[in-house]
Amino acid sequence: MEQKKLYCAGGTAAARYAADYLRDFCVPTADRPGSDVGAVLLDVPSFGPDGKLRMGGSIENLLAQLPPDVTICGGNLDHPALEGCRTVDFLKDARYLAENAYITAECAVEIALSYLAVTLRNCPVLIIGWGRIGKCLVHILHNLGANVTVAARKETDRAICCALGCEALDTAQVEPSLGRYRLIVNTVPWKLLSGDQLAQCHPDCVKIDLASKPGMEGESVITARGLPGIHMPESSGRLIAETFVRLCGEEW
């Protein structure tokens, strides 16, 4: 019986690195879709806002070239054409999300350093949100010597931040202190700061928004989404490859 192969269908730099790593992991791969393909690895996330594949083209056309029992791997796979297909959604895997959050945080720090006129040591920083990315940012920035304040909604989260050596405040009460910070990073996907509020920031404050819309809005805000695949595609690709092997490896 012919061994099934993996078809790496992604078009991003991260997907190309993932394909290279999977070959290093001795996963048999196919150069094109066909009857010998047992699984397809799409970009992560896999679809654009128009429902088309990020690599280009439609998922329907791709599926037409594959056997009916193929496994589709990628991210955000809630697509009508995939109903009835076996899917493995990396963006529903806690370990992938945690590792990807750390890469995102490192990318955000890289961006901040390219804009800041001061060092991170003793730099007053505000991190809005205590989710996966917020926690990773606090870890990195605190270790680099920044004076980190975390804005979080829950009192229990603020208590943890204080225990870790950071200042903490209620998300609803950030406005009066905005002028203190030289770096503000937003990680929450709701409209919190914009317009007149951002005008209260330090004139040289670097403002980075990592959240999905609406997030932090303004001409001076650096909107930075999808950072791992853009700034660190090799690390992103390795994470994709390792996640495939971890979630699907027994079949290969």
Side-chain angles (χ1 to χ4, degrees), residues 71-193:
T71 299
I72 306 296
C73 304
N76 289 340
L77 297 178
D78 300 323
H79 191 286
L82 293 177
E83 290 183 9
C85 294
R86 184 193 175 198
T87 59
V88 179
D89 196 326
F90 294 177
L91 294 179
K92 294 181 179 179
D93 178 71
R95 182 168 169 182
Y96 176 89
L97 291 171
E99 295 284 352
N100 195 60
Y102 195 88
I103 299 174
T104 300
E106 276 209 21
C107 292
V109 172
E110 177 189 28
I111 292 172
L113 285 169
S114 70
Y115 283 90
L116 281 168
V118 296
T119 64
L120 281 172
R121 185 182 181 187
N122 297 322
C123 179
V125 178
L126 174 64
I127 305 299
I128 303 173
W130 187 242
R132 285 182 293 264
I133 296 174
K135 291 180 176 72
C136 293
L137 278 168
V138 167
H139 173 76
I140 295 170
L141 290 167
H142 189 66
N143 285 339
L144 289 172
N147 295 330
V148 180
T149 298
V150 178
R153 291 182 297 171
K154 296 180 181 179
E155 184 177 354
T156 52
D157 290 341
R158 297 194 295 272
I160 291 172
C161 294
C162 292
L164 292 174
C166 301
E167 293 185 43
L169 49 82
D170 193 312
T171 307
Q173 299 175 347
V174 299
E175 189 171 347
S177 65
L178 288 176
R180 294 174 48 194
Y181 307 109
R182 296 297 297 270
L183 172 63
I184 298 175
V185 185
N186 177 54
T187 70
V188 298
W190 64 81
K191 190 172 183 178
L192 185 65
L193 299 175

Side-chain angles (χ1 to χ4, degrees), residues 126 172-182 184 192-207 216-217 220-221:
L126 174 64
Q173 299 175 347
V174 299
E175 189 171 347
S177 65
L178 288 176
R180 294 174 48 194
Y181 307 109
R182 296 297 297 270
I184 298 175
L192 185 65
L193 299 175
S194 61
D196 294 340
Q197 295 166 313
L198 291 177
Q200 300 175 43
C201 294
H202 187 285
D204 294 321
C205 177
V206 176
K207 299 173 282 292
M216 188 166 53
E217 297 179 330
S220 61
V221 175

Side-chain angles (χ1 to χ4, degrees), residues 35-59:
S35 60
D36 60 340
V37 171
V40 172
L41 180 60
L42 303 175
D43 292 309
V44 183
S46 303
F47 298 96
D50 59 356
K52 299 292 186 181
L53 291 167
R54 286 183 64 198
M55 60 175 274
S58 71
I59 185 65

Side-chain angles (χ1 to χ4, degrees), residues 15-30:
R16 292 191 289 273
Y17 277 114
D20 290 341
Y21 276 114
L22 284 165
R23 283 188 281 270
D24 291 342
F25 295 154
C26 298
V27 174
T29 58

